[in-house]
């Protein structure tokens, strides 16, 4: 198994995808993160048909670090809402843990949902990197292939932040 190192110096992260990812920009609602009706433009990096995705988007500066867990939980809720619109079943959170990644606040979660009769299990990570939220998702089916399982594990474990917060958003 060989994964390709991908570095995004603008958003400030590196991760190993199966191959070089595609890139798109998507408008995301910040409402689940308690920012009213605000939206942000997310950079989304993904490789088709692998279940590997990383998204990075700026959030309004907040000097209240006590809000950070709510912002991270809101990121998870927003992800589940977006998946829920395409899924046959509402995503169900199996685990959810607040933690840190390289001393930055983070949330890890595992959830399941069904699409076209296939049960999907997804691992989720969101990190507050300065005023940028970066989230990574690795998904597998209910009939996992050991090679794919190992690739998804390596993808999630390889995620790391570059030195310092994103250069794409203002420092708070």
């Amino acid at each position: 198994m060989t994964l390709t190192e991908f570095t995004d110096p603008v958003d400030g992260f590196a991760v190993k995808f199966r191959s070089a990812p595609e890139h798109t920009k998507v408008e995301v609602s910040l409402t689940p993160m308690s920012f009213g009706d605000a939206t942000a433009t997310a950079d989304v990096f993904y490789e088709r048909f692998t279940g590997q995705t990383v998204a990075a988007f700026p959030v309004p500066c907040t000097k209240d670090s006590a809000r950070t867990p709510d912002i991270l939980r809101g990121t998870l809720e927003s992800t589940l809402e977006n998946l829920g619109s395409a899924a046959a079943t509402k995503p169900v959170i199996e685990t959810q843990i607040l933690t840190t990644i390289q001393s930055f606040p983070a949330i890890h979660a595992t959830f399941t949902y069904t699409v076209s009769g296939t049960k999907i299990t997804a691992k989720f990570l969101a990190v507050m990197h300065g005023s940028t939220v970066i989230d990574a998702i690795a998904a597998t089916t209910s009939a996992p292939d050991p090679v794919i399982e190992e690739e998804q594990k390596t993808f999630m474990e390889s995620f790391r932040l570059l030195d310092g917060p994103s250069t794409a958003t203002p420092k708070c």
Side-chain angles (χ1 to χ4, degrees):
M1 168 186 65
T2 303
L3 297 179
T4 302
E5 178 81 19
F6 174 77
T7 301
D8 177 19
V10 173
D11 293 310
F13 71 90
V15 69
K16 292 181 179 180
F17 281 95
R18 184 184 289 175
S19 64
E22 294 184 39
H23 174 247
T24 190
K25 291 190 178 277
V26 177
E27 281 298 306
V28 294
S29 170
L30 301 182
T31 303
M33 291 151 244
S34 303
F35 289 112
D37 291 334
T39 61
T41 301
D43 284 307
V44 180
F45 302 91
Y46 63 98
E47 186 186 351
R48 290 181 190 258
F49 312 116
T50 66
Q52 299 175 344
T53 304
V54 178
F57 56 91
V59 294
C61 290
T62 177
K63 301 289 184 193
D64 183 4
S65 62
R67 287 198 60 216
T68 300
D70 292 332
I71 294 168
L72 293 169
R73 282 188 206 97
T75 303
L76 174 59
E77 289 171 25
S78 179
T79 299
L80 295 177
E81 285 175 23
N82 289 335
L83 288 172
S85 64
T89 61
K90 181 179 176 182
V92 175
I93 297 174
E94 310 268 329
T95 62
Q96 176 177 293
I97 301 164
L98 288 169
T99 187
T100 58
I101 301 290
Q102 295 170 233
S103 76
F104 288 92
I107 187 170
H108 279 279
T110 303
F111 56 89
T112 58
Y113 59 102
T114 302
V115 175
S116 302
T118 302
K119 182 179 176 185
I120 308 291
T121 299
K123 291 179 178 32
F124 175 87
L125 167 67
V127 182
M128 188 77 167
H129 193 220
S131 60
T132 299
V133 174
I134 305 170
D135 66 55
I137 299 173
T140 57
T141 65
S142 58
D145 176 310
V147 173
I148 293 172
E149 286 288 316
E150 188 61 30
E151 286 177 347
Q152 301 305 51
K153 180 180 178 205
T154 301
F155 169 77
M156 291 302 281
E157 290 176 352
S158 72
F159 179 88
R160 72 186 192 313
L161 300 168
L162 303 180
D163 294 338
S166 164
T167 59
T169 56
K171 291 186 175 25
C172 295

